[in-house]
Amino acid sequence: MLALLLFPPAVPVPEIGPPASTGNLVNKAIYGSDSRQEHSAMPPEWTSIGDAVAMIYDTQSNRVFDSQGVFQYEQSLRDKHGDCDGTPLRFSDQPTPGRCTATLIAPNKVATAGHCFKPHLCGRLAFAFGATTDAMVRGTPFAADRLYSCGSVEISVSTGGKDWAVVRLDRSVPDSVASPVRVASTEVAIGTPVMSIGHPDGLPRKYAGDAQVKEVMQSGTDAFRFSTNVDAFVGSSGSGVFDIETREMVGILINGNRDYDDKGCAITYPQA
């Protein structure tokens, strides 16, 4: 079904710093069976982390929210990709307004992939917290404390094998909405079990586990990155990758394998 490659590490992230990451935009996909789960299927220790994940959306192409914060987007995954050789894709009826994913690393800052958020897009791209399947129903209002705009792009890097950004929001996110995630201070090791939380294909928030770190590259440098067999798609770019045991963010998803074949079917890659 889906397949993906993902990279980067995290370095200590105080109020002013980001996790480091690298890579370029490439399609994602599935390894083995599709491990993506809905927010409602996850235990509290993971839903609290998922609440810190924001969907990045474009305020100028297709209306996602009206002026009152009511969800208006209509295009579904089926509208976007059609069916898989006549068979509906998983989540085919869900809306797909997401462009990328970001994760709250400080009360007023999010980390994402550099290719997702260039400085000139600060006035155009916005963030929605709580973008789950239950919330992303046409006509459903999002509270004002779940919708944020870009205050400034503190840094955006997408060259030289690096691909990460830190965006300052227009205001701080209250604890009642989300708390910043904990970011690992050391490099992740091969074999570490990981989970990615994001918006694959622009869908409502999904949790993808059943994955491990498969390879690490350029260890000890600011270009450190790693690969894993986590399930993801375009739209997952910028998603936080978390150590399942410590629940710390250890990286940012930045690229991967092809998502769909010529028949519109999500490509499945070997789990190993």
Side-chain angles (χ1 to χ4, degrees):
M1 309 193 89
L2 45 150
L4 90 38
L5 275 186
L6 89 337
F7 305 122
V11 296
V13 180
E15 286 264 319
I16 56 170
S21 62
T22 57
N24 300 302
L25 176 61
V26 182
N27 295 339
K28 321 289 190 297
I30 296 174
Y31 292 94
S33 59
D34 187 349
S35 68
R36 293 174 296 170
Q37 298 293 321
E38 299 285 8
H39 178 76
S40 59
M42 301 303 294
E45 61 266 27
W46 281 107
T47 58
S48 61
I49 295 173
D51 287 341
V53 173
M55 177 184 74
I56 300 175
Y57 66 96
D58 191 336
T59 63
Q60 295 181 20
S61 64
N62 297 316
R63 188 167 69 157
V64 180
F65 297 96
D66 68 13
S67 60
Q68 303 302 311
V70 176
F71 188 74
Q72 297 291 329
Y73 194 86
E74 294 183 320
Q75 186 184 53
S76 68
L77 187 65
R78 176 181 285 114
D79 295 330
K80 190 175 183 180
H81 292 298
D83 289 333
C84 167
D85 201 18
T87 302
L89 293 168
R90 192 177 180 204
F91 312 120
S92 63
D93 292 330
Q94 295 185 10
T96 57
R99 175 181 175 124
C100 279
T101 302
T103 304
L104 193 69
I105 59 169
N108 65 341
K109 296 178 185 180
V110 294
T112 186
H115 69 260
C116 288
F117 221 106
K118 303 289 188 181
H120 71 276
L121 294 173
C122 186
R124 176 169 179 167
L125 301 182
F127 305 87
F129 289 88
T132 62
T133 302
D134 291 341
M136 289 172 62
V137 176
R138 192 168 190 273
T140 299
F142 270 58
D145 61 6
R146 295 188 178 276
L147 301 177
Y148 295 80
S149 58
C150 169
S152 63
V153 178
E154 296 213 338
I155 189 166
S156 179
V157 180
S158 56
T159 59
K162 302 176 184 179
D163 190 351
W164 53 274
V166 173
V167 179
R168 181 184 292 271
L169 304 176
D170 62 312
R171 63 197 191 283
S172 293
V173 178
D175 290 340
S176 58
V177 171
S179 298
V181 301
R182 292 182 296 119
V183 179
S185 60
T186 58
E187 295 179 357
V188 67
I190 292 174
T192 300
V194 292
M195 176 182 293
S196 178
I197 309 175
H199 294 271
D201 239 324
L203 289 161
R205 184 195 307 159
K206 300 290 182 281
Y207 298 70
D210 191 25
Q212 301 82 36
V213 174
K214 308 302 289 186
E215 181 182 8
V216 298
M217 292 148 276
Q218 300 188 56
S219 178
T221 74
D222 64 359
F224 169 80
R225 59 185 182 177
F226 62 89
S227 65
T228 179
N229 54 354
V230 70
D231 297 334
F233 291 82
V234 167
S236 298
S237 289
S239 297
V241 181
F242 297 86
D243 183 323
I244 285 180
E245 295 177 353
T246 66
R247 294 194 290 277
E248 292 179 323
M249 189 166 116
V250 295
I252 299 170
L253 177 61
I254 59 168
N255 80 13
N257 291 332
R258 183 183 177 190
D259 288 348
Y260 297 99
D261 63 21
D262 294 338
K263 293 181 179 180
C265 300
I267 301 173
T268 301
Y269 294 82
Q271 180 72 25

